[in-house]
Amino acid sequence: MGRYINLGNESFMNIRNSEYVDKTGFIAVVNSYVNSMQKLICVSRPRRFGKSVGTKTLCAYYDRSCDSEKLFCDLEIAKDKSFKEYLNKFPVIYLDITWFISNCKDIKQTVDYLERSVGEELKKNYPDADGKTLAEIISGIVEKTDEKFVIIIDEWDALFREAKTDFELQKEYVSFLRGLFKSSLTDKMFALAYMTGILPIKKYGTQSALTDFKEYTMLSPKRFARYVGFTESEVKNLCEKYDVDFEETKKWYNGYSFSQEKAVYSPNSVIEAMLNGEFDDYWAKTETFESLRVYIDMDFDGVRNDLAFMLGGGECKINPLSFQNDMTSIASKDDVFTLFVHLGYLSFNSENSTVRIPNKEVRQEFLTAIKNSSRKEISKMILDSEKLLEDTLSGNENAVAKAFERIHDSVVAPNFYNNEQALRSVIRFAYISAVDDYVQIQELPSGKGYADIVFIPRKSSSLPAIIVELKWNRSPESALEQMKTRNYPCVVSEFSGEIVLVGINYDEKKGHECRIEKIDKK
């Protein structure tokens, strides 16, 4: 067993000895690309989304230096017709780029250290091997043995993240990869190349640095969608096994969605919650909020307001096409939010090109970043929202009216101020703090019309339901009357308990007014 060549199956054996959710179906997808035009694969996902588990699984499966049949025979891949065709059939090269960065004296020497170290090990394994570059050594070995390699590169983009501004080093690294994966040599050298990273392959202008690689990203994971994280059925099984509340798990860790898989959970966080027996922000245990805070402080094109809107449960439209797939070429709000999608801080809806904050865990990350941001406006908005919810539930009408006036003034441009839609948008900002305890629904069909905003308590919450009706140049009393005459309380038919009716009116002469009434729904 080597350091880079034929690592064996010990790592996957350790994975199997831990709490393991079977995701080996992805091997069948990868097998379908072996020795094909699609054999160069780059899978990008956020940290703690199982990238390294996947590469170690592939090492154990393809590595011809070990016998892994017993490790896989009870797993999903064993049912696939390709299982034995490729099981332990290839010499495997495994490169963890973070390892090379950590173990060379100077990060600038990373590419040279990688090429030299792997080249030396290849020559030890193949004494007749010759050549100066890694590509020359591998192609020479293949010529003499007539055996193609499988190459697996984990955290391929680590240099772009660790040396963000060292563009010479980045160019050197891209040149190394291009040399390794030249189309004229690749077909002869590799049966498969599988790379993982957090970011997609770097763009230069509109072109990818490695044009022959097929990419599967958080924007479009395609056939790999169900392997990005845990599916809902997998999480339900874990919750049943560990006697953990599924609805609370869903609130904390669900929220990623793709056209091929509608509910995807953060896998590492789910496992941590199961093993520890408590819900927490497990991302905070692995990385600081720094990567968020920097971009919040930049406030490109109104990032601040859109982020506050998403903290309140809203969605924002983006165009991800301008993003250069790095952390330095950020020139717009679209770039910031696209980066956040790749980092896992936002979930992308490909059907309407919108982003949102996926779950409570990520929301906690944003709140931490905001509290330490130089943009104190959002932090104050969150504190004001907590007080607004408290005043709403206690029936403090004057305080609620004044809070709406402050938020209306701060988030709506003057030329859009005097219309009903502007007042409606204020709600998202006003009740940011309600997200954890309520499901917020706009224009929900009621008995004889549509309730403007309904806050339905989550199952874990003991708070009353809230129905908000908005009026323009009318009166808050007319809003309350409309809610009762049109039987708006029926929209929370499954809820029994106190319901808070909130009538909000904005009069261009009188300003903001509020009336609150509480009813019991038996």
Side-chain angles (χ1 to χ4, degrees), residues 487-521:
N487 196 22
Y488 282 10
C490 78
V491 301
V492 285
S493 57
E494 295 182 4
F495 176 79
S496 60
E498 189 175 61
I499 299 176
V500 179
L501 305 180
V502 183
I504 302 285
N505 179 65
Y506 173 69
D507 187 292
E508 294 177 38
K509 295 180 180 178
K510 296 180 182 178
H512 297 76
E513 300 172 289
C514 173
R515 294 293 180 269
I516 297 173
E517 189 171 317
K518 300 178 182 180
I519 62 174
D520 281 319
K521 185 169 180 290

Side-chain angles (χ1 to χ4, degrees), residues 19-215:
E19 179 57 65
Y20 180 67
V21 174
D22 182 5
K23 307 298 286 187
T24 57
F26 91 99
I27 299 175
V29 179
V30 176
N31 280 348
S32 70
Y33 299 139
V34 170
N35 283 321
S36 76
M37 294 293 289
Q38 293 78 37
K39 65 184 172 184
L40 303 185
I41 300 168
C42 183
V43 172
S44 56
R45 295 177 194 160
R47 58 190 171 90
R48 302 304 184 191
F49 266 71
K51 297 186 298 297
S52 294
V53 170
T55 58
K56 290 168 183 175
T57 302
L58 290 178
C59 280
Y61 175 77
Y62 288 119
D63 188 347
R64 71 177 185 185
S65 71
C66 57
D67 182 356
S68 300
E69 185 166 2
K70 288 184 179 178
L71 277 174
F72 288 99
C73 66
D74 62 333
L75 300 176
E76 184 181 350
I77 182 58
K79 301 172 186 175
D80 190 81
K81 62 182 181 181
S82 69
F83 175 54
K84 289 194 176 181
E85 183 180 358
Y86 297 120
L87 178 65
N88 301 133
K89 292 294 196 300
F90 296 98
V92 175
I93 299 172
Y94 176 75
L95 308 178
D96 180 351
I97 303 304
T98 59
W99 191 93
F100 291 102
I101 293 173
S102 300
N103 285 278
C104 65
K105 293 180 180 179
D106 185 339
I107 194 170
K108 293 181 181 294
Q109 300 170 358
T110 301
V111 178
D112 179 66
Y113 176 58
L114 185 162
E115 197 155 22
R116 179 166 39 83
S117 301
V118 179
E120 288 174 358
E121 188 167 316
L122 278 168
K123 289 178 179 179
K124 285 182 181 178
N125 280 270
Y126 300 90
D128 294 335
D130 195 15
K132 293 182 179 179
T133 68
L134 196 55
E136 288 173 352
I137 295 169
I138 294 172
S139 63
I141 292 170
V142 172
E143 261 186 52
K144 292 173 182 176
T145 62
D146 200 29
E147 292 178 333
K148 293 182 182 180
F149 283 84
V150 165
I151 184 167
I152 297 170
I153 303 178
D154 199 10
E155 301 285 0
W156 87 272
D157 60 328
L159 266 178
F160 287 96
R161 292 184 276 114
E162 296 294 326
K164 296 177 186 177
T165 58
D166 193 336
F167 302 116
E168 287 303 313
L169 176 58
Q170 292 176 16
K171 287 180 182 177
E172 181 187 2
Y173 180 52
V174 169
S175 294
F176 160 73
L177 292 174
R178 281 175 170 163
L180 199 57
F181 298 115
K182 280 182 181 176
S183 57
S184 58
L185 293 174
T186 301
D187 287 340
K188 297 177 181 179
M189 292 162 51
F190 302 116
L192 173 75
Y194 182 90
M195 297 199 311
T196 75
I198 291 177
L199 299 177
I201 294 171
K202 164 75 176 162
K203 288 183 186 177
Y204 288 97
T206 60
Q207 297 298 313
S208 168
L210 301 169
T211 55
D212 290 334
F213 271 83
K214 308 301 177 187
E215 294 202 72

Side-chain angles (χ1 to χ4, degrees), residues 287-448:
E287 188 173 294
T288 68
F289 52 78
E290 187 66 23
S291 56
L292 285 175
R293 187 183 64 78
V294 169
Y295 300 108
I296 292 170
D297 285 348
M298 288 179 180
D299 197 25
F300 280 115
D301 307 326
V303 162
R304 175 182 64 85
N305 275 356
D306 279 358
L307 181 56
F309 184 66
M310 286 189 281
L311 283 167
E315 296 186 358
C316 294
K317 204 166 187 67
I318 68 165
N319 178 1
L321 297 179
S322 66
F323 183 58
Q324 294 297 299
N325 299 344
D326 64 34
M327 301 181 79
T328 55
S329 306
I330 304 295
S332 68
K333 178 174 63 179
D334 286 336
D335 290 346
V336 172
F337 287 158
T338 305
L339 173 62
F340 284 178
V341 171
H342 291 301
L343 295 176
Y345 291 117
L346 294 177
S347 175
F348 180 69
N349 184 332
S350 60
E351 293 177 4
N352 54 19
S353 292
T354 58
V355 290
R356 62 185 175 87
I357 296 173
N359 52 48
K360 183 173 180 177
E361 179 182 42
V362 178
R363 186 169 178 272
Q364 295 290 97
E365 286 278 285
F366 274 112
L367 292 175
T368 300
I370 286 166
K371 287 174 184 176
N372 290 274
S373 168
S374 64
R375 300 280 175 177
K376 298 303 179 184
E377 311 98 304
I378 313 180
S379 184
K380 186 178 185 305
M381 193 180 293
I382 292 165
L383 291 174
D384 287 348
S385 175
E386 292 172 356
K387 182 66 167 59
L388 173 61
L389 182 59
E390 180 184 317
D391 288 334
T392 301
L393 296 177
S394 66
N396 191 336
E397 297 171 341
N398 288 334
V400 171
K402 288 178 180 177
F404 265 84
E405 183 175 353
R406 286 196 302 272
I407 297 167
H408 199 164
D409 289 343
S410 64
V411 302
V412 178
N415 53 325
F416 294 109
Y417 194 91
N418 291 317
N419 64 66
E420 189 170 342
Q421 190 58 40
L423 186 60
R424 190 184 303 278
S425 71
V426 169
I427 292 286
R428 284 287 192 190
F429 293 96
Y431 289 103
I432 288 173
S433 61
V435 170
D436 289 338
D437 293 302
Y438 290 94
V439 175
Q440 183 181 149
I441 305 174
Q442 293 198 38
E443 295 190 335
L444 188 66
S446 63
K448 299 177 182 177

